[in-house]
Amino acid sequence: MRSILVTGGAGFLGSHLCERLLERGDNVICLDNFFTGRKQNVTHLLANPRFELIRHDIVQPIALEADQIYNLACPASPVAYQYNPIKTIKTSTVGVVNVLGLAKRCKARILHASTSEVYGDPTVHPQPESYWGNVNPLGPRSCYDEGKRVAESLCMNYHQEHNLEVRIIRIFNTYGPRMDPNDGRVISNFITQALRGEPLTIYGNGLQTRSFCYVDDLLRGMMLLMDQDKETGPVNIGNPGEYTMLQLAEQILKQIPESKSKIVHKPLPQDDPKQRCPDITKARSLLGWSPTVDLQAGLAKTVEYYRGELAQA
Ligand code: NAD
Ligand code: UDP
């Protein structure tokens, strides 16, 4: 039986991943410092004897045994990662060195969660893996974007220098149940605002685009990438369906017909990327992967989740 370490395992994506790995029969060690993750995301797993939860910050080294490591630890919402930018960079640099060092000692294969943010405000559209990106190295997003770029570089260096088995996934905006309702990302904001009857806050004119992937599709792609033997990566995983924020707001209001919410415009944050859409040619050919859940179906499941969350609160 394999032992799999998931850093950031109490977060949105990490908690779904832990669940899937347990379902498959693996032993799972979930490690998290609970900065943006929540214990309630994994409470239902605690009774499983193959599941272990450790409170730990990857900026500090840790000695554990594992056959595979999924490194997801890092805040993902701009509000969260800009709260303490130095800590965010430390997590993607010192933290990633610690996790890579652990992988090297255990001879474990490691998948690192990178991001479409490495493309910055892209001048190539859609974005293939070969595009080097357009990142402002001094802007408010740089703690995350540049941190993730260094992390990719570190992964490649460990792969080349130490023959470490590395997989790099570039994740495009992913949503679904267990996204923290207060984390400030656009889908959690719009749905909770619509359910509370508050105005939906569109930043800027709302014509900027994002491509939204449902969590189940993303995790399928992530696990396929980890378990194939041909490619280190990076590999884009995301849904090429591209929407403006205005279209997204309108779609969410359509799916919550009782909502009395209106739309308001707020200032656009500095360096907010104007467009984002994955080129998934590589994922299709390498993994036979493509997304299966469209925005409407994914939003329906997410709205249902937030209804439950808000009712409990
Ligand atoms: P999340 O904020 O819900 O999860 C991140 C988890 O990492 C949280 O549980 C948090 O407490 C933990 N964490 C943060 N810093 C840590 C540290 N120093 N030590 C230990 N744990 C730490 O975000 P998510 O959406 O689940 O994202 C997971 C990963 O995927 C992140 O690395 C993120 O950058 C990447 N990603 C996510 C998206 C997305 O749209 N969801 C897009 C691109 C990349
Ligand atoms: N956004 C918005 N209203 C919100 C939150 C976000 O219009 O309440 C916009 C944001 O400016 C960006 C897009 O939605 O253009 C996606 O933002 P998010 O924080 O979800 O992710 P990222 O910018 O990292 O892709």
Side-chain angles (χ1 to χ4, degrees):
M1 205 185 298
R2 283 189 306 187
S3 179
I4 305 200
L5 171 63
V6 181
T7 76
F12 161 50
L13 296 179
S15 60
H16 285 279
L17 177 63
C18 289
E19 214 168 77
R20 286 186 169 224
L21 295 170
L22 288 169
E23 275 163 23
R24 195 171 76 172
D26 294 320
N27 282 320
V28 175
I29 306 169
C30 167
L31 183 154
D32 207 294
N33 70 352
F34 298 115
F35 172 44
T36 50
R38 298 180 294 170
K39 224 182 236 175
Q40 73 194 67
N41 286 343
V42 290
T43 339
H44 62 296
L45 305 177
L46 289 171
N48 189 324
R50 287 184 285 107
F51 182 75
E52 205 178 330
L53 176 62
I54 302 176
R55 177 191 282 263
H56 179 79
D57 192 311
I58 61 163
V59 172
Q60 306 301 327
I62 188 167
L64 291 169
E65 301 308 320
D67 302 304
Q68 279 190 347
I69 301 173
Y70 285 86
N71 185 45
L72 272 56
C74 185
S77 155
V79 179
Y81 70 63
Q82 289 171 28
Y83 174 75
N84 185 344
I86 298 171
K87 179 60 195 260
T88 301
I89 297 181
K90 278 190 182 170
T91 295
S92 287
T93 54
V94 180
V96 170
V97 169
N98 285 333
V99 181
L100 286 165
L102 177 67
K104 182 176 163 228
R105 185 180 55 75
C106 298
K107 297 190 173 55
R109 181 179 291 185
I110 176 168
L111 177 142
H112 173 69
S114 189
T115 166
S116 57
E117 287 286 320
V118 299
Y119 302 123
D121 191 7
T123 53
V124 170
H125 195 70
Q127 294 81 53
E129 289 85 351
S130 54
Y131 176 50
W132 288 0
N134 177 35
V135 171
N136 174 358
L138 299 176
R141 297 174 85 97
S142 68
C143 59
Y144 184 73
D145 301 3
E146 295 290 20
K148 289 283 189 180
R149 287 166 69 97
V150 172
E152 286 198 10
S153 175
L154 282 166
C155 287
M156 287 313 277
N157 296 147
Y158 268 77
H159 171 60
Q160 285 154 359
E161 263 188 67
H162 301 301
N163 280 325
L164 193 67
E165 283 194 53
V166 166
R167 305 288 178 263
I168 299 171
I169 177 174
R170 287 188 181 153
I171 303 171
F172 283 65
N173 293 59
T174 300
Y175 69 100
R178 291 206 201 118
M179 252 179 130
D180 186 337
N182 302 311
D183 85 354
R185 286 184 266 189
V186 68
I187 289 194
S188 43
N189 273 8
F190 284 180
I191 295 180
T192 52
Q193 288 162 345
L195 289 174
R196 290 180 175 130
E198 295 164 2
L200 272 59
T201 52
I202 289 191
Y203 300 161
N205 61 13
L207 297 180
Q208 70 273 34
T209 67
R210 292 294 186 275
S211 304
F212 297 103
C213 188
Y214 188 65
V215 58
D216 289 357
D217 280 333
L218 188 281
L219 286 176
R220 190 166 43 81
M222 186 186 273
M223 291 166 75
L224 282 170
L225 177 61
M226 174 64 119
D227 291 329
Q228 56 76 41
D229 293 322
K230 284 183 257 170
E231 171 78 36
T232 296
V235 177
N236 288 340
I237 300 284
N239 190 324
E242 187 182 358
Y243 298 87
T244 67
M245 294 312 101
L246 267 174
Q247 287 171 328
L248 177 69
E250 279 157 11
Q251 181 63 34
I252 286 174
L253 288 176
K254 204 161 112 192
Q255 291 189 231
I256 307 178
E258 76 279 16
S259 177
K260 306 234 168 2
S261 294
K262 301 270 177 283
I263 285 174
V264 293
H265 289 264
K266 297 240 167 149
L268 187 68
Q270 188 192 328
D271 293 343
D272 199 273
K274 285 183 268 311
Q275 52 184 4
R276 213 26 102 50
C277 180
D279 178 334
I280 58 165
T281 311
K282 196 167 173 183
R284 278 188 207 277
S285 58
L286 177 73
L287 310 173
W289 179 89
S290 57
T292 58
V293 183
D294 67 16
L295 186 67
Q296 188 180 351
L299 284 178
K301 294 184 194 194
T302 312
V303 168
E304 197 183 306
Y305 170 76
Y306 283 122
R307 275 190 207 283
E309 285 286 284
L310 295 190
Q312 267 183 33

